Amino acid sequence: MATGVQVAGTDMIGARASGTLTAEIFTDLAAAEALWRRLEADPASLQTPYQRYDWVCAYLRATGTEAEARIVVLRDAEGRARILLPLVLGRKAGLVVARIVGDTHANYHMPLFATRDAAAISAGEVTAALIRVGRSAGIDAYALQHQPLMWEGAANPFAQAGEPEASDAYGLMLGPDPEATVRRVFSADARKKLRSKEKRLIEAKGVLAYRRAETAEDAARYLTAFYAHKAVRFAGMGVADPYADDAVRRFLSAVTSGAEPAVEIHVLCLAESGRVLATFGGAVSDHRFSGMMTAFDPDPEIARFSPGDLLLQHLVGEQTARGRQGFDLGVGEARYKASICDETIGLVETIVPVSLRGRAYGLMRLGLTRTKRRIKRDPRLYAVAAKLRTLLRR
C-alpha cells in the first residue's frame, strides 16, 4: 500500500509502519462501515460490545464529535484488516490527543481484533504502526484508557506497557443452562433471601414483571424511570448527575433503539401499573452482556426488598437462556459485583507518545494515574479526598 494520502473516494490517510503492519485512518464513518460491520460480525473476532459500529456512531453523533472521529485500521502484509481502533481527537493546551470513543460511558476501550491471532501481534509492531500514522495525522499522543489486560482468555497487546488504573472491572462466564448458572452465581442462602424478598414485595405491591425494552417506546419509558431514580441518588450523594446531560440522553435514546439495539434495557416493574422498580442497562454483542448502568426506586417501601438484586438474578438467567456466554458489571467496586462475579478484569491506561510534547503529556498522565490509584485504593486517602470534594462543591 502506498505511503501518504490516499483519496479514492474513501477520505483515508495511509502510512507504512516500520514492521509488517500498515496503518490507515478513516475520517469518514460511512467509508469504514462495511469493513467494520464485517469484522464485528465474524465469530472469529475478539471484541467488547463498546466498539460495535452502532454503539460508536450513536455516541459520536449524540455528542457532536463525529467530525473529530478517526478510525484506525491496522493491516498485515497481505492487506488483511487485523485491528480496528475507533478514536476521537481532542485538543487541549495545543496538544492533539487521540482517545477511544466513549469516554467513561464505555467500560472497555479495547480495539476490535479480527481474530485471536490478531491480538497476538506484538505490542512493538502495534506501537510502531500507531506512531507512524499518528505523525501523518498530526496526533501528539494516544491516551488509551480502560485497556483490559486479558479479554476472554487472550492477552491485549495494547495493555502490555500500560499503567494500572484506580479500579478494575468484574465479570463472569455464563453456562449453557440458565438454572444451573443462577445456582452457581448466587449462593443457596442468597437465592433463599431473594425468593423471600420477591414474595414479600408481591404481597405488598402486587404481581411483578421482568421485561426487556423491545420498542423505542419501551426504551423511552424505562429510561425516564432510570433518570428519575438516578437524579434522586446523585442528589443524595451531593454530586452532579451525568445523566442530566442532553447529549448523554440523546446517546442512550439512540443506542437503545432499533431492531438490534447496541444497549439493552431490562426492568423489574409492577405488572398492573407498569411502575418501574429497578433498571439495568448493558452494551451487548452476540455473546456478551456488559453492564453500563443500573438504578432502583429510592422509595424505602420498595428499596427494602432489594429490587436491583432481584432484577440482577433474573438477568443472569435470561442472558444465559439467550445464549450469551460472557457477563460483566463494568468498572468500579460495589457489593453486588463482588457477590456474584468470579473474574477480576484488570485495567490499565496506555499512553503512546508520538511527538515530544506527547512524551511530556504521557509523563503527566502517568503521574495522575498513579496518584488516583493510590487514593482510590487507600481507604484513608479516599475518605480525605471525598471530604475535599464535598467542601469544594459548597
Side-chain angles (χ1 to χ4, degrees):
M1 185 173 294
T3 302
V5 177
Q6 302 182 19
V7 185
T10 63
D11 195 14
M12 178 179 74
I13 303 170
R16 170 93 39 203
S18 58
T20 59
L21 290 178
T22 298
E24 305 167 339
I25 291 186
F26 290 85
T27 59
D28 180 0
L29 289 174
E33 180 177 1
L35 169 63
W36 196 334
R37 290 192 184 279
R38 177 172 61 79
L39 290 175
E40 72 177 42
D42 190 335
S45 65
L46 185 68
Q47 59 183 292
T48 90
Y50 301 97
Q51 284 74 54
R52 279 183 58 183
Y53 180 83
D54 291 333
W55 197 102
V56 171
C57 284
Y59 189 87
L60 290 170
R61 289 166 182 166
T63 56
T65 53
E66 188 174 359
E68 286 75 47
R70 301 292 185 269
I71 312 305
V72 172
V73 176
L74 303 183
R75 296 181 182 272
D76 62 17
E78 286 74 44
R80 297 176 301 171
R82 311 308 291 148
I83 300 172
L84 186 146
L85 190 64
L87 301 169
V88 63
L89 302 186
R91 293 167 175 81
K92 187 173 183 180
L95 272 73
V96 177
V97 179
R99 303 178 185 276
I100 305 291
V101 174
D103 197 36
T104 57
H105 294 281
N107 283 308
Y108 312 110
H109 290 180
M110 193 179 80
L112 167 58
F113 295 101
T115 64
R116 287 179 175 268
D117 287 343
I121 295 172
S122 73
E125 280 195 79
V126 170
T127 299
L130 291 180
I131 290 173
R132 186 59 179 262
V133 78
R135 288 171 180 160
S136 299
I139 294 171
D140 289 298
Y142 298 85
L144 309 178
Q145 296 174 288
H146 290 1
Q147 292 294 317
L149 290 168
M150 302 285 295
W151 190 255
E152 297 179 359
N156 174 13
F158 284 73
Q160 183 170 312
E163 182 70 19
E165 293 191 348
S167 296
D168 296 320
Y170 301 87
L172 59 100
M173 296 306 294
L174 304 176
D177 178 74
E179 187 174 337
T181 299
V182 169
R183 287 200 305 270
R184 171 173 61 84
V185 173
F186 297 88
S187 69
D189 184 57
R191 297 197 308 275
K192 180 179 179 181
K193 289 179 179 178
L194 288 175
R195 283 195 300 270
S196 175
K197 288 185 175 184
E198 185 178 53
K199 180 180 178 181
R200 288 186 287 123
L201 178 55
I202 292 171
E203 291 171 349
K205 299 297 180 180
V207 178
L208 303 175
Y210 293 93
R211 292 175 179 159
R212 169 167 53 95
E214 297 183 346
T215 67
E217 291 73 21
D218 287 343
R221 186 166 66 255
Y222 299 157
L223 284 172
T224 296
F226 170 79
Y227 296 142
H229 295 163
K230 275 298 190 186
V232 174
R233 172 70 171 167
F234 285 120
M237 295 169 62
V239 301
D241 180 0
Y243 296 102
D245 188 314
D246 286 341
V248 173
R249 294 193 175 195
R250 287 195 300 270
F251 162 62
L252 291 175
S253 177
V255 85
T256 55
S257 303
E260 296 183 9
V263 171
E264 289 184 357
I265 301 292
H266 296 255
V267 299
L268 169 62
C269 60
L270 298 180
E272 184 174 348
S273 67
R275 177 181 174 180
V276 174
L277 309 182
T279 311
F280 211 108
V284 294
S285 61
D286 287 344
H287 61 279
R288 175 172 286 267
F289 180 99
S290 180
M292 279 177 57
M293 54 196 203
T294 185
F296 59 87
D297 193 320
D299 181 347
E301 290 302 309
I302 298 295
R304 67 192 181 98
F305 297 112
S306 303
D309 290 344
L310 293 173
L311 177 57
L312 182 58
Q313 179 181 243
H314 169 82
L315 186 58
V316 168
E318 191 266 359
Q319 291 294 305
T320 305
R322 290 171 60 197
R324 293 207 166 104
Q325 300 156 11
F327 186 94
D328 70 74
L329 296 173
V331 181
E333 297 73 19
R335 177 199 58 80
Y336 75 98
K337 296 181 183 182
S339 67
I340 74 165
C341 293
D342 56 13
E343 177 190 9
T344 298
I345 304 171
L347 300 174
V348 302
E349 178 180 12
T350 299
I351 304 295
V352 180
V354 177
S355 68
L356 288 176
R357 292 188 301 173
R359 289 182 182 275
Y361 170 83
L363 292 173
M364 179 197 71
R365 284 296 311 177
L366 177 64
L368 288 174
T369 301
R370 287 177 175 173
T371 300
K372 184 177 180 181
R373 184 177 72 251
R374 184 183 176 192
I375 292 173
K376 189 73 178 289
R377 300 193 179 188
D378 185 320
R380 293 170 300 176
L381 291 176
Y382 189 74
V384 171
K387 289 180 180 178
L388 287 175
R389 284 196 300 269
T390 301
L391 291 172
L392 290 173
R393 284 193 297 268
R394 290 177 178 174

